[in-house]
Every structure is written in C-alpha cells, then in structure tokens.
Amino acid sequence: MSSQHERALAAYRDSLPGGVTETFRIDGVDHLGIPIYNVDLFTDDGHFNGIGYGATETEALVGAYGELAEECHRHLSLADLSMRESSYAALLEEVGSAGVLDPLTLVLPAGSAYTPDLVLKWLPVARLKDNRTVWCPAEFVVSGNWELPDYPNRLTTCITNGMGAGDTEERALLHGLLELLQRDGNADRFRALDRGQVIDPATVTEPVREIIAYMKERGLDVTMKLARVTCGCASVYAVGDDLSDDAFGLAATGCGEAADPDVYHALRKAVLECASSHSRKRFNNLPFEQLEHEVPEGYFTRIRAAIDLETEEQRALRAMVEFVRSDKETVRQQLADTIFNRQTTVSAADLPSYTATDVPSRLQYVIQQLAGEGMEPYVYRSTSTRGSCSVVKAIVPDMEMEFGSYHRVGYRGVKRLLADDPFHLLKRAPGPGLALIRLTEARNQELDGPFYLNTSRLDEIIDPLYALYREPTAHAAPIALATDYFADL
C-alpha cells in the first residue's frame, strides 16, 4: 500500500462516526476479477454506503471508504448549517448579487416554474476564490431529496454530482470539479444520445491497453468513446459488451465515465469503472439467493429494512425492473444504435494531455480553465469530519448536467444545441410538448432567445435507456420484482 493510500484510508476511517461497519468485496459475483469493495456503515443517523474499484485491492478499498465518507459527512454536517427560507428577490436586496447565487444560472429543468419571488430553502456555501459566504438554493447543495422533506418549491431533483473526498481539501475539490466536468461533457452526448466517437485503442498508453486486453480475455469487450473536450479536459466514457454466455441483461450495459486534464488518466478511470459497473450491476440487481455467499450474515435483513420502494424515483425503479427482466441479447439489440454506435474514430493524441501529476497543479489548471469560460467554483465543506479528512461538494454555475434525465439545460447547453442539434430538440417558438428553457434575461438577449426544449421528443429517446441514467437504490429492483411491486409489468 502506497503512503498516499495509507494516509487517505486512515483519514477516511478516522473521520467516521460510531456504528457498525461492514467491508467486503462484491466482484465475486462476476467473472472479471477487478477488485470492487462495498462498505456499509449503520449508525443511529442512518445507513451509509460506499463502493470503490481499482486495479488493486488497495485502490478499491480507498475508493470505497472515500465514497462512504462523502455520503456520511455530506449528511451529518447539514445539522451544522443554518438553512433559511426566502425568495431570491428578497435575498438579493439583503446581500447583493455577490452574496447569493441566481437560480437561473444553476441549470434548471426546462419548464421550471421558478420566479424570483418564489420562496426557496437556502444554504451557505463559500466562493472559492475569496471564501466569501454565498447563499445557494439548498437542492443544489444536498445530495438527496430525502434531506429536504416537506419542500414543495424544490427546483430540481437533488443529486450527488460534485461531491469529493480526500486527505486534503485540494484532492477532494479536484475530485468534485472533475466529476462536474464529466457530467458537463457528456450531458447531451452519450447513452441514448451517443454520437459514436470512438477513441482509437492504438493511440492510448500501454497501461490502458493492458487493462482492456485483460477485460477482453475475461469476456468484456470495452470500447472507449469521447463525449467532448470541456474546459480543457477530455470527457470520455467506456462501454462494455459482454461476450460471455452470461444471459443477465444488464451484463451488456457496463459503462464508466471520467473527465481529466490528461486523457490517458481519464481513460484508465473510465475503463476500470466500466468493469466495476459490470460487476456492481450484478450485485445490485441479481436475486438475493444468488448473492448469499458474497455478503456478511444478516446483510439482506438490514438492507430490506433500509429500503422503502415508495421513496425511490419511480421512473428509475420501473426502468431498472424492465432491464432486469430482459435477457442480454434483447438488451444488446436495444443498445446497438446508441451505446455501441460507431461513427468516427478519434486519436487520443489529439486530446488534452496535461502532464503535471501533483494535485495542486492539476487543481489550479482546472480552476483556470473554468475561469477561461467565465465559470467560478463555489464549495460546500462538510464540518463533521473532525479534521481527519476533507469532504466537499463543488457547485459551479452554468455547468451542464442531467439533460436526458431531468431536462436540465442552461446557457452553455443552449449554445451547444444551437451549434449541433442532430435530435432536433431546440425550438424557438412554444408548442405542444415543448418547455421553456430558463435563462436570465441578459442571456436570452445575447442568444436571441427565448428557447424551448422538445421534452416529449427527448423523453421518447431517453425512456428506453432510462435505467442507464438514474439507477435506483442497490437491491431495490430485486425487491420490487419479488414483491410484484409493478403489477402491470
């Protein structure tokens, strides 16, 4: 174990509150042999989970505890924050434009009913460049709807995107920013909206080629793809076609994503995450009786008690149940024109390859690239780590994300669609099935708006693959199947 891994693992473990922790590998349910650790923490405050993967057991273990720390401390530290209720208009008058984030810059869902007089819940975050306190709508700070109960004016579904953990704040923040750039890069260019840009495997580094060859020997044919270059970083993903005799439908849906200043670093992460996705989907969605030899005693009793199907995103749960019920050949045919689409070939040598490897240099590069496109980071810092590690959530206005799943699209998304809209989703006049894209007045004038998103057409494209966009809680789909939760399926 490297000294950095030792420090990180010790920092994550030391930060955790008291409770029952279970750590075990889950990759035994698969045939790939890539280490994947699952860590569960059961406390009086709830159940927290982390899953980590890597080329080595150590790398996987550090990743699992890092993700556990993110989830646990994000939630625990909310108790230390002063949430307030107010409208944007009232806050703007009180603290000025430098002290509050305009919701119209946070990439709202098309058709949002937001107005400046709508009363929202707000949490304090810090502007990164000067640490000034700024008020941000709470739904962009927390990471789950359940953390904002009784909130009828919530502007969008709460998601984890932008979370990061590390033995230093710089490492945690870099992780969070790169995750945002990953989503920004592929928001409208992968899964059901795949553009078929394949990265030539002959142009990547030998370590990446070795991992791909190792996967293929074990039955997973991995293809590397480019979403786009965003803010000086390559946003890539890797998809895996299962060539084994495994009939499990989700075996054909493995996908890993990454964005990084160095395309080769991004590709390594994406390929390993693709393998992790392949194994994790088996663990999360196979019937319990096929997993009993992989889990600690009493695991499924605790999991059943923690899962409430009524609180799951019903669209995601239904979509996953449908995928689980399908055989692999049916799923493969469903993906032939999207995930496995091949249109053009891209050389990795033509993509960003920032060579500095130290975290401070890489972080400054990313911040400078954001600034070059007029974007400024804000940060929410978890306060419950007792100084053992750093857990943050990065928030960057104008960063695109969740386009296919939640119709979120903003200023940068509109500019991209104006330049390239092969699915004909952007319209300039209202009409049936169209939803107004919420931009500031100044940006509408700049782009000669307003604009409307064809949400009906987008849903028609996304719905068959929705389970690949938003997954339900681990094991929720098998419980739904066992209890006939969707009786109409």
Side-chain angles (χ1 to χ4, degrees), residues 120-134:
L120 304 173
K121 296 185 177 184
W122 302 79
L123 285 170
V125 297
R127 188 166 58 195
L128 186 62
K129 70 179 180 182
D130 57 10
N131 211 34
R132 173 175 176 161
T133 296
V134 177

Side-chain angles (χ1 to χ4, degrees), residues 154-174:
R154 178 170 50 80
L155 296 177
T156 189
T157 300
C158 307
I159 59 174
T160 61
N161 196 23
M163 291 295 301
D167 52 340
T168 66
E169 181 173 306
E170 288 176 317
R171 192 182 304 278
L173 184 57
L174 178 62

Side-chain angles (χ1 to χ4, degrees), residues 22-32 34-40 42 47-52 67 246 248-251 253 274-304 307 320 324 471-479:
E22 294 180 338
T23 305
F24 56 97
R25 284 180 63 164
I26 67 171
D27 50 281
V29 302
D30 205 355
H31 51 81
L32 299 181
I34 293 294
I36 307 172
Y37 268 101
N38 180 91
V39 184
D40 288 293
F42 299 90
H47 166 227
F48 305 102
N49 173 260
I51 291 183
E67 190 171 273
D246 180 10
F248 186 57
L250 289 170
T253 67
C274 178
S276 168
S277 171
H278 186 275
S279 301
R280 177 182 54 77
K281 288 182 178 184
R282 292 183 63 80
F283 181 75
N284 288 354
N285 296 289
L286 283 172
F288 287 171
E289 57 268 23
Q290 295 185 37
L291 305 175
E292 289 178 342
H293 63 289
E294 299 293 331
V295 302
E297 184 177 353
Y299 173 82
F300 289 122
T301 299
R302 291 186 286 274
I303 289 298
R304 284 190 183 96
I307 292 177
M320 185 59 78
V324 172
E471 295 185 28
T473 303
H475 310 300
I479 293 174

Side-chain angles (χ1 to χ4, degrees), residues 184-415:
D184 177 83
N186 65 29
D188 61 341
R189 298 181 71 88
F190 87 141
R191 302 204 191 283
L193 303 172
D194 193 300
R195 305 299 181 86
Q197 294 187 102
V198 176
I199 297 175
D200 184 353
T203 66
V204 306
T205 56
E206 183 63 27
V208 176
R209 288 201 299 271
E210 288 176 356
I211 297 172
I212 292 174
Y214 177 89
M215 291 292 95
K216 192 164 187 178
E217 288 176 2
R218 284 154 181 78
L220 191 67
D221 187 13
V222 177
T223 300
M224 298 171 289
K225 290 190 162 185
L226 173 68
R228 62 163 45 87
V229 174
T230 177
C231 297
C233 295
S235 178
V236 303
Y237 53 104
V239 296
D241 186 9
D242 189 291
L243 305 179
S244 73
D245 58 3
D246 180 10
F248 186 57
L250 289 170
T253 67
C255 181
E257 310 158 45
D260 199 88
D262 177 17
V263 63
Y264 304 110
H265 190 94
L267 288 171
R268 180 184 186 275
K269 177 183 181 298
V271 170
L272 286 171
E273 188 176 84
C274 178
S276 168
S277 171
H278 186 275
S279 301
R280 177 182 54 77
K281 288 182 178 184
R282 292 183 63 80
F283 181 75
N284 288 354
N285 296 289
L286 283 172
F288 287 171
E289 57 268 23
Q290 295 185 37
L291 305 175
E292 289 178 342
H293 63 289
E294 299 293 331
V295 302
E297 184 177 353
Y299 173 82
F300 289 122
T301 299
R302 291 186 286 274
I303 289 298
R304 284 190 183 96
I307 292 177
D308 178 0
L309 297 182
E310 291 297 320
T311 64
E312 294 288 322
E313 181 186 332
Q314 296 300 297
R315 184 184 178 194
L317 180 59
R318 175 182 283 270
M320 185 59 78
V321 167
E322 290 177 342
F323 260 81
V324 172
R325 288 164 58 100
S326 300
D327 63 75
K328 187 174 66 177
E329 285 309 310
T330 299
V331 172
R332 180 183 281 125
Q333 292 173 15
Q334 200 171 352
L335 304 179
D337 295 330
T338 54
I339 283 177
F340 299 132
N341 177 28
R342 292 169 172 261
Q343 295 292 328
T344 59
T345 301
V346 181
S347 171
D350 295 331
L351 301 175
S353 55
Y354 182 71
T355 56
T357 58
D358 62 291
V359 170
S361 296
R362 283 161 51 79
L363 176 60
Q364 282 307 119
Y365 172 86
V366 170
I367 292 172
Q368 289 167 2
Q369 292 294 315
L370 290 171
E373 298 199 20
M375 291 189 286
E376 183 171 51
Y378 297 78
V379 60
Y380 152 70
R381 298 180 174 96
S382 295
T383 55
S384 58
T385 64
R386 302 193 300 276
S388 296
C389 66
S390 178
V391 172
V392 305
K393 186 170 188 180
I395 300 156
V396 182
D398 291 330
M399 194 72 76
E400 296 290 325
M401 65 188 80
E402 301 304 333
F403 177 64
S405 50
Y406 302 137
H407 303 162
R408 289 178 63 181
V409 58
Y411 172 67
R412 282 155 54 80
V414 167
K415 289 202 298 182

